[in-house]
Amino acid sequence: MQGQRPVGWWVKRLDELLEEGLDAVVGAEGLTRRHWQVLQSVVDGPVERAGLRAALAPFAGPAEVDGAVADLTGRGWLRDDAGRPAVTDDGRAAHARLAAAVGAFRRSVAEGLSEEEYARTVAGLARMVANLERALGG
């Protein structure tokens, strides 16, 4: 029966498991996937708040993004750089720790898939998204 489920079921289930798994990985530092996404988004340089919200819109609303920024700022991992969240030295060190754990988690997700299979899977999903965006006028 499982093989007969539509792609939407598999995508939804994968998203649920990615959320749960990433929360478990970063939870060791008292964080959620949203915290990780914010930290990952600003590690290379300050980001306009509106740009950060837009980048994370598929995952969280503005209030959740702002809450993660506030939490990370309270930890001393982010600072305000002319109204743009920016990573601190402590935040950079935390990012390095977390990146190793997140990388291991991501590798476990793709375990058993060749690089080619993984690339084809991602390309297929990207094509489905593009097809739906076009069909829905977005």
Side-chain angles (χ1 to χ4, degrees):
M1 176 77 178
Q2 284 188 351
Q4 298 174 355
R5 291 185 171 142
V7 70
W9 188 92
W10 290 109
V11 169
K12 179 70 173 163
R13 182 66 180 138
L14 179 59
D15 181 60
E16 291 168 351
L17 291 169
L18 288 172
E19 190 84 17
E20 181 180 330
L22 275 169
D23 278 348
V25 167
V26 299
E29 299 239 15
L31 304 174
T32 66
R33 185 180 183 191
R34 251 22 97 224
H35 291 101
W36 165 250
Q37 289 170 320
V38 167
L39 191 58
Q40 176 71 9
S41 296
V42 303
V43 73
D44 291 328
V47 177
E48 294 292 335
R49 185 70 66 107
L52 184 59
R53 288 176 183 150
L56 298 181
F59 305 99
E64 190 175 0
V65 171
D66 291 345
V69 168
D71 289 348
L72 294 171
T73 301
R75 288 172 177 253
W77 293 3
L78 295 183
R79 62 179 163 71
D80 184 84
D81 184 0
R84 302 176 307 164
V87 72
T88 65
D89 289 341
D90 286 347
R92 195 167 305 287
H95 178 269
R97 280 192 313 273
L98 291 164
V102 169
F105 171 74
R106 287 179 176 161
R107 285 187 298 280
S108 76
V109 170
E111 189 174 323
L113 295 175
S114 69
E115 287 183 32
E116 183 179 280
E117 288 171 316
Y118 182 84
R120 278 197 318 257
T121 300
V122 172
L125 290 170
R127 177 56 153 225
M128 289 179 192
V129 167
N131 290 343
L132 287 170
E133 287 176 342
R134 187 175 52 257
L136 297 172

